[in-house]
């Protein structure tokens, strides 16, 4: 187990280096201020790369220089450090909401297959998964903020302003998760050991808690990793629509203005977050699969 964790950490380090190198090549090529006249020579290229990393993480240097928005690479990263807690708070709350609702609803829908509850959940999940989060955000803003005036239209100054961005980000993901969890649960319920346990009179909640759920958990975690990119991309759009204090209000104008340092900082932050999250969840999933196999072998 320890050796596997060490391998995962080395893999994580290698991927992060690769992402930073790719970011440096692409973004510096798009930055007219960067001097790459000698890019054919490997020594100036790697010297520039390591200098760029030093400027971003350790020094007060300007990296490739101030962007059109007035930021340097270092200043952009420091500013991200100040505003990213708002993004993390919104994304984390959305993830908790998705897990809290999608897992029980998906499992209950599978246990009541072809019942009224199942049909209702399937209809709602189909509608929710069909609506893009930015369209849903506009609908919720118009209905609950403009017409009913229950929540503020924009901003993040008061607790009520958290509701609409959270719902806009979470509801499409909840719909997708419910469909996936329902399908995974139905597949597990069709296994012989589950049919045999129910036939012997074992209560359904015990079958679910001690047999079905541990076996579908790796599948849920894998789907969670696959959806984290959608969550990270969606949070930027939602923050922009609701003027939420997060990376969205900085990144979208930077993309329009081609502000290279800000885009660099955004790419590095999102890549680091996504890769670390993916490796951690994948490691937990692999450990759960091994533990499940050992229990079956015993």
């Amino acid at each position: 187990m320890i050796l596997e964790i060490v391998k995962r950490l080395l893999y994580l380090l290698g991927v992060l280096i690769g992402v930073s190198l790719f970011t440096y090549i692409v973004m510096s090529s798009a930055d007219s201020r960067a001097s790459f006249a000698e890019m054919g020579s490997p020594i100036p290229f790697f010297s520039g790369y390591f200098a760029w990393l030093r400027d971003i993480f350790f020094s007060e240097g300007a990296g490739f220089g101030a962007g059109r928005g007035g930021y340097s690479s270092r200043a952009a990263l420091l500013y991200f450090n100040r505003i990213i807690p708002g993004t993390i708070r919104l994304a984390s709350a959305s993830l908790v909401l998705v897990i809290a609702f999608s897992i029980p609803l998906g499992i209950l829908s599978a246990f009541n297959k072809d019942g009224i509850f199942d049909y209702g959940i399937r209809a709602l999940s189909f509608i929710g998964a069909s609506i893009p989060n930015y369209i849903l955000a506009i609908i919720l803003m118009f209905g609950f903020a403009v017409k009913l005036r229950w929540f503020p239209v924009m901003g993040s100054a008061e607790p009520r302003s958290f509701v609409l961005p959270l719902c806009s980000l979470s509801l499409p993901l909840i719909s997708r998760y419910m469909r996936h969890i329902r399908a995974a649960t139905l597949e597990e319920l069709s296994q012989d050991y589950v049919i045999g346990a129910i036939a012997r009179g074992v209560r359904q909640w015990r079958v679910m808690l001690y047999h079905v759920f541990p076996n579908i958990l790796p599948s849920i975690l894998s789907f969670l990793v696959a959806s984290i990119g959608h969550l990270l991309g969606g949070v930027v759009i939602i923050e922009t629509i609701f003027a939420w204090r997060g990376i969205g209000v900085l990144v979208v104008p930077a993309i329009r203005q081609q502000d290279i340092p800000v885009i660099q900082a955004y790419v590095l932050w999102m890549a680091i977050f996504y890769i670390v999250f993916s490796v951690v969840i994948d490691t937990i999933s692999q450990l759960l699969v091994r533990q499940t196999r050992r229990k079956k072998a015993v």
Side-chain angles (χ1 to χ4, degrees):
M1 182 183 297
I2 297 177
L3 182 60
E4 182 68 23
I5 294 176
V6 171
K7 288 181 179 180
R8 296 276 178 176
L9 292 176
L10 293 176
Y11 168 77
L12 173 62
L13 180 62
V15 173
L16 290 176
I17 293 174
V19 168
S20 65
L21 187 61
F22 179 78
T23 304
Y24 173 71
I25 294 173
V26 173
M27 293 303 177
S28 60
S29 300
D31 193 352
S32 59
R33 292 174 301 271
S35 177
F36 278 88
E38 298 180 359
M39 193 168 177
S41 176
I43 297 177
F45 171 76
F46 283 105
S47 297
Y49 168 68
F50 289 119
W52 175 71
L53 286 179
R54 184 192 64 239
D55 290 338
I56 284 183
F57 291 105
F58 300 107
S59 75
E60 295 295 333
F64 289 135
R68 297 183 182 182
Y71 295 99
S72 65
S73 296
R74 174 64 175 172
L77 194 66
L78 289 175
Y79 190 66
F80 265 66
N81 293 338
R82 292 197 296 267
I83 66 173
I84 204 169
T87 298
I88 293 176
R89 186 167 69 252
L90 181 59
S92 301
S94 175
L95 195 60
V96 170
L97 197 67
V98 168
I99 294 173
F101 279 91
S102 61
I103 292 179
L105 291 177
I107 291 174
L108 289 174
S109 178
F111 270 95
N112 295 275
K113 182 183 177 182
D114 296 332
I116 297 177
F117 181 82
D118 182 36
Y119 282 120
I121 290 296
R122 289 163 63 182
L124 291 176
S125 64
F126 179 78
I127 295 172
S130 303
I131 303 177
N133 52 16
Y134 61 90
I135 298 295
L136 180 61
I138 296 173
I139 294 174
L140 294 178
M141 180 186 292
F142 180 77
F144 293 97
V146 177
K147 290 296 185 180
L148 298 177
R149 297 185 179 181
W150 290 355
F151 305 101
V153 178
M154 294 181 179
S156 56
E158 53 181 311
R160 290 189 307 155
S161 61
F162 192 69
V163 176
L164 293 184
L166 181 61
C167 292
S168 303
L169 191 61
S170 303
L171 291 179
L173 285 175
I174 290 175
S175 302
R176 294 184 178 92
Y177 269 75
M178 284 193 303
R179 294 167 65 91
H180 176 79
I181 293 171
R182 177 185 179 276
T185 305
L186 286 175
E187 182 179 356
E188 197 65 27
L189 289 175
S190 64
Q191 300 296 322
D192 293 338
Y193 78 94
V194 175
I195 298 174
I198 295 176
R200 291 194 302 270
V202 181
R203 295 182 179 180
Q204 285 191 348
W205 69 267
R206 292 186 63 88
V207 174
M208 180 62 229
L209 184 62
Y210 294 105
H211 300 285
V212 176
F213 184 72
N215 287 328
I216 67 172
L217 186 57
S219 175
I220 295 175
L221 293 177
S222 299
F223 189 72
L224 182 65
V225 172
S227 302
I228 194 65
H230 183 274
L231 177 63
L232 293 177
V235 73
V236 174
I237 301 174
I238 297 302
E239 286 176 349
T240 304
I241 294 175
F242 289 99
W244 180 267
R245 181 174 171 79
I247 59 175
V249 296
L250 181 65
V251 170
V252 174
I255 294 174
R256 292 173 181 169
Q257 300 172 9
Q258 297 182 4
D259 199 339
I260 302 301
V262 176
I263 299 174
Q264 286 175 331
Y266 170 71
V267 171
L268 286 176
W269 256 114
M270 292 299 102
I272 290 172
F273 183 81
Y274 177 78
I275 293 169
V276 171
F277 184 85
S278 299
V279 170
V280 170
I281 296 299
D282 186 57
T283 302
I284 295 174
S285 178
Q286 293 295 326
L287 294 176
L288 289 174
V289 169
R290 291 184 180 182
Q291 186 176 5
T292 302
R293 289 176 179 175
R294 289 175 182 174
K295 287 182 179 180
K296 288 182 178 180
V298 174

